[in-house]
Amino acid sequence: MNLEKNLIDNILETEIKLGHADMAITFYYPVISLLELLDCTEQQLDAAIGSFQEAVKETLGPVKIQELANEKGRFSVRVSAKGVNWVHSNFHPTEFMKQFVAEIQKSGITLGDIVTLFHSFSQDVEVKKVSEEEWSVSFADEAVDPYVYHIEKNFFGLEYHRFTKEAYRKTMEG
């Protein structure tokens, strides 16, 4: 997976939740995710960012990537309104993503309900208990959906964070 695909997926996910808006959008990435998505080392990061920005300027428009001054190791990635509109015009969210976002926002939803939804797309689903109130859920076949969903139960219900498989592995190790 690369950063362009990840940004497209994130924009589509945001549109499912909030609708389309003709405006720039900012996402936040830990450095380990950028290194994976740009396929580079920390020493190569600045050059890889520059190459990425040049490569996507016709589609995503100007993409501003910078390390947050008050959070070393965390980067903001701002996609221009041009890029958001390009994604809106040329891509559509997967049926799984549409159903997942709708399901997880329901009141009273349980992990079992989420796992049932995953199984409606593939029987080969990996569910791992992380702690008493946290689980990771993913498809073995990345063609169905390439991400790991870290699901947490709290006072408000279920919430999730989506990671690439490699970023999730590294996050859980560190």
Side-chain angles (χ1 to χ4, degrees):
M1 178 173 305
N2 64 35
L3 184 55
E4 182 179 25
K5 179 184 179 348
N6 190 266
L7 287 169
I8 291 167
D9 289 348
N10 284 337
I11 291 167
L12 293 171
E13 178 186 18
T14 300
E15 286 190 354
I16 293 169
K17 294 176 180 176
L18 305 173
H20 173 68
D22 181 17
M23 59 189 286
I25 187 167
T26 303
F27 300 102
Y28 298 92
Y29 290 83
V31 69
I32 61 168
S33 292
L34 280 184
L35 296 176
E36 173 194 357
L37 294 169
L38 292 171
D39 192 25
C40 68
T41 65
E42 282 196 56
Q43 294 75 25
Q44 300 166 325
L45 185 58
D46 288 340
I49 287 172
S51 294
F52 172 78
Q53 290 168 317
E54 184 63 29
V56 300
K57 71 180 179 184
E58 294 301 317
T59 54
L60 291 177
V63 176
K64 185 177 181 181
I65 303 173
Q66 63 184 31
E67 188 170 22
L68 300 175
N70 58 342
E71 293 186 53
K72 194 84 171 134
R74 190 163 182 241
F75 288 75
S76 66
V77 179
R78 183 176 176 85
V79 178
S80 68
K82 174 188 175 186
V84 171
N85 290 327
W86 175 77
V87 169
H88 179 75
S89 297
N90 292 285
F91 297 90
H92 302 285
T94 65
E95 190 59 33
F96 168 74
M97 180 53 67
K98 290 189 286 190
Q99 288 186 31
F100 175 78
V101 170
E103 191 72 13
I104 201 146
Q105 292 177 342
K106 291 179 181 176
S107 177
I109 194 78
T110 67
L111 177 67
D113 298 324
I114 296 298
V115 171
T116 298
L117 173 67
F118 271 75
H119 279 124
S120 73
F121 286 86
S122 172
Q123 288 306 304
D124 203 359
V125 175
E126 299 171 354
V127 180
K128 296 178 184 165
K129 188 171 188 168
V130 176
S131 73
E132 192 59 36
E133 303 293 335
E134 296 177 78
W135 305 268
S136 68
V137 185
S138 62
F139 293 104
D141 180 0
E142 291 190 12
V144 178
D145 184 274
Y147 298 101
V148 174
Y149 294 81
H150 182 91
I151 300 173
E152 302 173 54
K153 181 179 179 185
N154 62 32
F155 180 76
F156 300 105
L158 295 181
E159 294 181 359
Y160 75 97
H161 301 282
R162 191 177 70 184
F163 298 86
T164 65
K165 288 185 177 183
E166 182 64 15
Y168 189 72
R169 183 187 64 75
K170 288 181 177 178
T171 300
M172 296 312 286
E173 286 174 355

